[in-house]
Amino acid sequence: MEEVLTEGKNFKLVTDSELPEIIDFLSNYLPDSIKFHQTLKTYLKDHVWDFHFYVTKTWPEQAVILHFPGMTRTPNGKLYESFSVFCPCDQLENIRLLTDEDMLIDWTQPIYMNFTHAKIMEKIEELYGGTMEKLTGEVYCQIDEKIGNEEECNITVFAEDAEMMQLSPEHAQIIHDLYPANHMECVEVFEKLIEKLPCYGVFSATGELAAWMVQSYYGAMFSMQTRPEYRRKGYGLILAKYLTKLVKERGYMPFVVIRPENDASKGLYAKLGFKKYFETVRAILRPHEMSSDAQGGGGGGGTQQNGH
């Protein structure tokens, strides 16, 4: 098993007992910090996956926080090969501490960055000496809006005989098989999410899984898909409305990551009071001398991008 380092050159490992204070700090930077803020909350509450969080040794004066490993599948599956980062957008000069980190991060090898605020990624790109492959998403949050009245949220009306139920781990394989970016995620991710978090599916009259949506380890709703033969029946809206309600009840701010060209999803979430707040980027950083035909980490599709 790979050794977990207690510190790097500029960063130190955070203990679980320190996380509530860090969550409080990040709450001052919502919605920009939403992915990290809710990843920490979900980690403490449900421990869906093993993460290791690091903050600067000068935290919070220089407020940069990292989490390893990212959820993106990487060629070597190393602990420090994939990660995510947050820094307040008015303190981006502190990102230099990341590019100067030569103990936790091996900058001579490809780095797989999980969805990170676009302004932070722009700063990394400015400082990085290699090339970058990027995939952009738009973060939509529901901050102040209500999802109709309580009675409306609790009633699901289908145009035909169908039923919405919590998924079970046995459904993970089919969801993974049909997930557009399944080359980047292992089926165990979906098994853990279904086991620990609200993950619902719409089942047809014959018992077939027709549509589904899950809450992710970072508090967002993602992987919403409807099989082609069951589209235009309102399943997506019913799932999104119900999951939004559950996410809020569990103490999270509902948000989704949507591809810029996906007007259908934007229209669906607009009906539920979601608004765009910022862009986020998933990227692979490669040193200039690395071959361009190494494994890619972009991709994706479907109704939403996976925000891992």
Side-chain angles (χ1 to χ4, degrees), residues 160-202:
E160 57 184 32
D161 188 13
E163 185 178 9
M164 184 171 64
M165 296 184 295
Q166 167 74 23
L167 298 171
S168 62
E170 67 188 50
H171 298 118
Q173 188 65 59
I174 187 171
I175 292 174
H176 180 265
D177 289 346
L178 296 174
Y179 181 59
N182 59 13
H183 66 290
M184 301 169 63
E185 315 293 348
C186 60
V187 68
E188 288 79 13
V189 171
F190 291 92
E191 290 173 347
K192 288 286 188 181
L193 293 175
I194 291 171
E195 177 186 351
K196 299 277 190 176
L197 299 174
C199 301
Y200 279 79
V202 174

Side-chain angles (χ1 to χ4, degrees), residues 14-33:
V14 176
T15 65
D16 286 3
S17 63
E18 295 173 294
L19 292 180
E21 185 175 341
I22 294 174
I23 291 172
D24 288 342
F25 177 86
L26 293 175
S27 67
N28 297 316
Y29 296 95
L30 290 169
D32 284 352
S33 64

Side-chain angles (χ1 to χ4, degrees), residues 36 65 71 133 181 192 231:
F36 252 87
I65 180 171
M71 299 297 286
E133 300 174 23
K192 288 286 188 181
R231 290 173 184 167

Side-chain angles (χ1 to χ4, degrees), residues 201-216:
V202 174
F203 293 83
S204 71
T206 60
E208 184 177 28
L209 181 59
W212 55 87
M213 189 176 195
V214 306
Q215 179 182 344
S216 181

Side-chain angles (χ1 to χ4, degrees), residues 71-221:
M71 299 297 286
T72 301
R73 180 181 288 172
T74 57
N76 304 304
K78 293 182 177 180
L79 177 61
Y80 295 101
E81 197 168 33
S82 173
F83 67 95
S84 187
V85 56
F86 175 74
C87 174
C89 290
D90 59 355
Q91 302 176 33
L92 292 179
E93 69 277 4
N94 291 324
I95 289 296
R96 62 180 173 79
L97 295 172
L98 176 63
T99 56
D100 191 38
E101 176 58 57
D102 58 4
M103 294 176 64
L104 297 176
I105 305 169
D106 183 356
W107 293 104
T108 69
Q109 299 298 315
I111 303 296
Y112 298 82
M113 300 284 298
N114 283 253
F115 274 125
T116 296
H117 197 294
K119 290 184 178 179
I120 298 173
M121 199 67 82
E122 286 174 8
K123 190 65 175 179
I124 293 174
E125 188 171 18
E126 175 187 322
L127 296 170
Y128 182 59
T131 59
M132 184 180 293
E133 300 174 23
K134 296 185 290 187
L135 176 68
T136 300
E138 297 178 349
V139 175
Y140 283 72
C141 305
Q142 191 208 69
I143 296 180
D144 300 317
E145 300 289 337
K146 293 182 178 180
I147 325 167
N149 58 48
E150 192 70 18
E151 182 179 358
E152 187 180 61
C153 289
N154 284 325
I155 295 177
T156 55
V157 179
F158 295 102
E160 57 184 32
D161 188 13
E163 185 178 9
M164 184 171 64
M165 296 184 295
Q166 167 74 23
L167 298 171
S168 62
E170 67 188 50
H171 298 118
Q173 188 65 59
I174 187 171
I175 292 174
H176 180 265
D177 289 346
L178 296 174
Y179 181 59
N182 59 13
H183 66 290
M184 301 169 63
E185 315 293 348
C186 60
V187 68
E188 288 79 13
V189 171
F190 291 92
E191 290 173 347
K192 288 286 188 181
L193 293 175
I194 291 171
E195 177 186 351
K196 299 277 190 176
L197 299 174
C199 301
Y200 279 79
V202 174
F203 293 83
S204 71
T206 60
E208 184 177 28
L209 181 59
W212 55 87
M213 189 176 195
V214 306
Q215 179 182 344
S216 181
Y217 71 90
Y218 51 92
M221 296 102 70

Side-chain angles (χ1 to χ4, degrees), residues 263-282:
D263 293 332
S265 283
K266 293 177 183 179
L268 185 154
Y269 286 100
K271 293 179 182 179
L272 300 179
F274 284 71
K275 298 177 182 178
K276 178 184 173 181
Y277 283 88
F278 61 92
E279 292 186 348
T280 185
V281 177
R282 193 174 197 172

